[in-house]
Amino acid sequence: MAEVGGWIWERNLRSFLELLSHYVGYGFDATDWETVALALEATDDEQADGWYSYPLVGEHRKVEVRLARVVGGDEVMLAVKGALTPELEVRADTLLAAFSAA
């Protein structure tokens, strides 16, 4: 099992999840977003049990996205974990880099 992690701006979270879902073959929709957005409110990156996990089970892969809002900031910490192919690992890392840019 591989893991890719980092942070992105909270305003980019939905786009990040939609694109990652596309890469695993999962149809991330409005219901998925509502679930994640609601759960994000109660997260805290400084607490071990303050993270939220959301599975993306698609045609190609299954990954788990762990996320938590940064205390006092506009960032969201993320970890994408699963049976990542080298290609999916690079894509997830690229999304993290792109969505953490100013």
Side-chain angles (χ1 to χ4, degrees), residues 31-100:
T31 302
D32 292 297
W33 173 243
E34 290 171 9
T35 302
V36 171
L38 183 63
L40 183 64
E41 295 296 321
T43 62
D44 177 343
D45 75 315
E46 295 178 353
Q47 301 296 321
D49 63 348
W51 289 61
Y52 177 70
S53 294
Y54 197 76
L56 300 176
V57 181
E59 299 170 19
H60 313 298
R61 295 271 167 230
K62 174 183 176 183
V63 299
E64 175 186 348
V65 179
R66 294 186 65 241
L67 51 100
R69 181 180 268 154
V70 172
V71 175
D74 296 325
E75 305 91 352
V76 174
M77 297 299 297
L78 291 163
V80 179
K81 184 175 167 181
L84 304 177
T85 63
E87 178 184 0
L88 186 54
E89 205 170 326
V90 167
R91 285 181 170 183
D93 192 51
T94 301
L95 288 174
L96 287 166
F99 288 130
S100 65

